[in-house]
Amino acid sequence: MSVDAELVEMMSAVFAAHREAHAPGEAVDELWDQLGELGLVRLTGSEESGGSGAGWAEAVELLRAAAWHGVRVPLAEHDLLACWLLETVGLPVDDARRTACLLDGDGVARAVPWAADSQRVVVLWPAGTGYRVADVDTTSLTVTAGRNSAGEPRDDVHADVSGLTGTSVPDTVIAQFTRRTALVRAVQVCAVLDRIVALSVVHAGERIQFGRPLAKFQAVQNLVADIAAESALARAATDGALAEALRTEWSASQLDFLVAVARSCAGHAASVVVRNAHQVHGAIGTTREHRLHEFTMPALAWRSEYGSVAHWDQVLTDYATQAGADKLWALVTATGG
C-alpha cells in the first residue's frame, strides 16, 4: 500500500506540532478542527458525502502518524467505523463527531471509544434474525464515562432500542465492521511498537554505562533485537491481513483467520516489546517525564480492545483444530481457499 510521501510528511508534521504544544489527550477539539480543515477527519469518506475520497492506505498512515507521535484522537472511530457504516447503509453524514458501537441484547455496549466526547453515536443492535443501525444523538443515550489503562475515553453506552427505528444491516456489513475494528487496533498497536523500538535504539546508543554505550553490551543488544523482531512480525501479520482485506474488498474466505493472526501476533509482541523496552530504559523509562509510557501504555490497552489476546488465540486454536493435521499447512499458507 503506497501513499504519497508528501501527504505522509504533512500528517506527521501536524501531529508532531500538536504533541509539542499539548500533552496526550489535551486540546482534542482544537486538533479536530485543524484536521477537519485539512480534510483528514473523513479521509476515506466519499467526496459526494463530504469526505476526501481517499482509501485505507492513506487512513493507515494517518493512524500510524497519530500513534507514533502519542496523539490521541478518534479518527478511526469516526471515519473508518461510524461514518463508513452510515455511508454503507445510505444514511446521511454531516460534520458531527461520531463513534460507533455494537450493542448487546440489552442495548448495552461497554468501553466504547470516545462516546462521551462524541456528538453522535452510530449504534448497531440485534433485531430479530438480523441487525439494525441508527445514528443517534449522544444526549439520547445513557453514557457512563470511563477510561482505559492509557487514559483514553472508554465509555459504557446504554440505548433504549425499543424507541429506535433504525435501518436493516446485511450480515456482510456486520462481519466487515468487526474485522475493521480488529484491524484498526492492530495498526495502532504496531505503530506504537515501532516507536518503542525507535526510542529503545536511541536510548541504548546514547546512554553511557560503565564507560560505554548500553548498545555495546550483549545483553542489551539481545533485548533490542527481540523487540525489533517482535515488532516486525506484528507489522508483517497486520499488513498481510490488510492487503488481503483490500484486495478482496473484505470478503476473502480466509480473512477472519488472517485478522486473528494479526491480532494474536500484535498482542504477544506488545508483551515482549513493552517488557524489554522498560528493561533497556531502566529507571528513567518509568518516569512521567520520559515519553516511553506514552507508547507502552497504549500498546497494552489497545491489544485488548475489540477482542483480548486470549480471544484471538482461541480463534486461532479453533481454526487449527478444525483444519486438522492434513489441512494445517494449507491454512497457514492460505492455500486452502
Side-chain angles (χ1 to χ4, degrees):
M1 298 185 293
S2 60
V3 181
D4 181 80
E6 292 185 358
L7 176 61
V8 175
E9 184 178 349
M10 182 269 286
M11 292 174 178
S12 181
V14 169
F15 292 124
H18 179 81
R19 178 60 188 87
E20 185 176 345
H22 304 283
E26 290 185 354
V28 174
D29 292 342
E30 176 185 322
L31 176 60
W32 192 259
D33 290 341
Q34 182 182 7
L35 295 173
E37 293 173 0
L38 294 170
L40 297 178
V41 296
R42 287 199 58 221
L43 188 59
T44 66
S46 66
E47 294 181 10
E48 294 76 14
S49 67
S52 297
W56 261 80
E58 291 79 11
V60 165
E61 291 301 331
L62 185 65
L63 295 183
R64 286 173 175 166
W68 175 273
H69 290 289
V71 174
R72 301 167 186 175
V73 62
L75 288 166
E77 292 78 7
H78 175 79
D79 180 27
L80 298 177
L81 301 180
C83 292
W84 165 77
L85 273 171
L86 295 181
E87 279 200 76
T88 299
V89 299
L91 294 176
V93 184
D94 56 24
D95 292 333
R97 188 191 305 169
R98 290 174 167 85
T99 189
C101 65
L102 181 59
L103 303 171
D104 61 20
D106 297 320
V108 176
R110 305 291 182 187
V112 179
W114 302 91
D117 296 80
S118 297
Q119 295 162 296
R120 303 187 70 83
V121 179
V122 179
V123 295
L124 288 162
W125 73 94
T129 58
Y131 285 84
R132 303 188 75 81
V133 62
D135 185 25
V136 183
D137 191 299
T138 307
T139 58
S140 300
L141 302 167
T142 301
V143 179
T144 304
R147 298 275 174 177
N148 65 9
S149 58
E152 296 173 303
R154 296 294 185 266
D155 313 311
D156 291 345
V157 172
H158 183 276
D160 180 7
V161 296
S162 64
L164 299 176
T165 303
T167 301
S168 180
V169 182
D171 290 344
T172 54
V173 172
I174 298 298
Q176 187 177 158
F177 177 77
T178 57
R179 291 164 183 162
R180 280 174 170 250
T181 58
L183 280 179
V184 157
R185 287 295 184 263
V187 167
Q188 293 173 310
V189 170
C190 289
V192 292
L193 295 186
D194 286 345
R195 184 62 191 275
I196 294 168
V197 172
L199 289 172
S200 299
V201 169
V202 170
H203 181 79
E206 294 178 347
R207 174 67 174 172
I208 304 300
Q209 193 74 26
F210 304 113
R212 54 178 176 161
L214 287 177
K216 296 296 184 180
F217 292 89
Q218 186 174 5
V220 175
Q221 293 172 1
N222 291 340
L223 290 172
V224 175
D226 282 348
I227 66 175
E230 290 287 343
S231 180
L233 174 61
R235 172 73 81 91
T238 299
D239 286 351
L242 275 171
E244 185 66 7
L246 301 184
R247 185 185 71 81
T248 64
E249 297 184 349
W250 299 86
S251 63
S253 59
Q254 72 272 29
L255 187 53
D256 287 335
F257 171 73
L258 295 176
V259 169
V261 170
R263 286 298 305 264
S264 178
C265 286
H268 288 287
S271 295
V272 176
V273 173
V274 169
R275 181 191 66 225
N276 286 16
H278 277 286
Q279 287 182 318
V280 170
H281 282 79
I284 188 65
T286 65
T287 64
R288 296 294 299 176
E289 289 75 13
H290 197 281
R291 295 195 63 187
L292 183 61
H293 67 90
E294 294 180 26
F295 311 102
T296 56
M297 295 301 289
L300 297 177
W302 292 341
R303 70 172 182 170
S304 297
E305 294 182 348
Y306 299 123
S308 65
V309 180
H311 165 77
W312 294 111
D313 286 351
Q314 186 60 54
V315 171
L316 292 182
T317 300
D318 292 343
Y319 268 105
T321 302
Q322 293 167 11
D326 294 339
K327 298 181 179 179
L328 187 58
W329 180 248
L331 174 67
V332 172
T333 58
T335 59

